[in-house]
Amino acid sequence: MSTLKVNSIIPVAGVPTGGGGGIIQVKQTVKTSFQSLATKDTVTDVTSVAITPKSSTSKIFIMVSGERSDSNGNTFGMFFISRVLSGTTTDLALGDSRGSSIRCSMSATKIASGSTTVTESFGINFLDSPSTTSECTYKLRMVNAHDSTMCVGGTFADDDDNRTSVPTIITVMEVSA
């Protein structure tokens, strides 16, 4: 048996402008537990995954998915995709500053007054350029901006078999440049 080892794989037509040549590695965290946040205006980690790029020119493709709910059907919250590199946390994929709005990666606002049995799906894809070969940790973080309890991982209510528990997933892929 023989082994083929290469430093890079380049498509026959060449590497597309602004694109990558292929997936080098994939890392994933699947969080199956339910998490709630009752404290207002506090940033809390939901889940994370670490990856060490093989090349400083590589890009990291981040995919996050899950479901959120709340304690009273009326929550104003935000999600952030963040990169931790050498102890420094950088929020990624933020909207522009505008008035008093909060810049975030995804809105977690839900208005369905009185409903603790409804979830809303969330998801984001983002291509990051960390420019390093040091370990990067990518995190999903949440902020509750209201007086109710914000939750991830299923419905707030769990009193019958019409309620749900769902995973929160974060996947990262190193893409060659």
Side-chain angles (χ1 to χ4, degrees):
M1 184 159 109
S2 60
T3 302
L4 173 64
K5 294 183 178 185
V6 296
N7 290 333
S8 68
I9 298 172
I10 299 174
V12 173
V15 177
T17 302
I23 303 302
I24 296 171
Q25 61 176 317
V26 178
K27 304 285 184 176
Q28 182 178 71
T29 298
V30 179
K31 178 184 176 171
T32 58
S33 61
F34 182 82
Q35 181 177 350
S36 62
L37 176 61
T39 308
K40 185 177 177 183
D41 297 331
T42 301
V43 178
T44 300
D45 292 351
V46 176
T47 191
S48 65
V49 64
I51 189 168
T52 303
K54 305 284 186 203
S55 170
S56 62
T57 60
S58 293
K59 300 194 181 297
I60 305 296
F61 187 56
I62 309 155
M63 296 172 286
V64 175
S65 65
E67 291 188 14
R68 63 156 310 277
S69 63
D70 59 74
S71 63
N72 71 5
N74 188 15
T75 295
F76 296 91
M78 299 89 195
F79 286 114
F80 297 89
I81 301 300
S82 305
R83 176 192 345 106
V84 181
L85 176 60
S86 301
T88 301
T89 300
T90 303
D91 292 327
L92 307 171
L94 299 176
D96 287 342
S97 294
R98 161 176 87 80
S100 297
S101 66
I102 296 175
R103 298 176 68 215
C104 61
S105 305
M106 292 176 282
S107 174
T109 299
K110 179 174 157 257
I111 301 174
S113 189
S115 177
T116 63
T117 61
V118 176
T119 63
E120 293 181 333
S121 298
F122 63 84
I124 188 170
N125 297 321
F126 180 72
L127 189 62
D128 185 34
S129 300
S131 302
T132 187
T133 56
S134 297
E135 181 181 76
C136 298
T137 299
Y138 289 94
K139 293 183 175 186
L140 172 65
R141 303 184 312 148
M142 68 179 175
V143 173
N144 182 2
H146 202 261
D147 292 327
S148 62
T149 300
M150 183 174 155
C151 311
V152 293
T155 54
F156 180 81
D158 63 356
D159 53 341
D160 65 37
D161 63 0
N162 290 324
R163 311 306 174 237
T164 61
S165 286
V166 297
T168 304
I169 303 167
I170 183 168
T171 306
V172 292
M173 295 188 282
E174 181 179 359
V175 180
S176 63

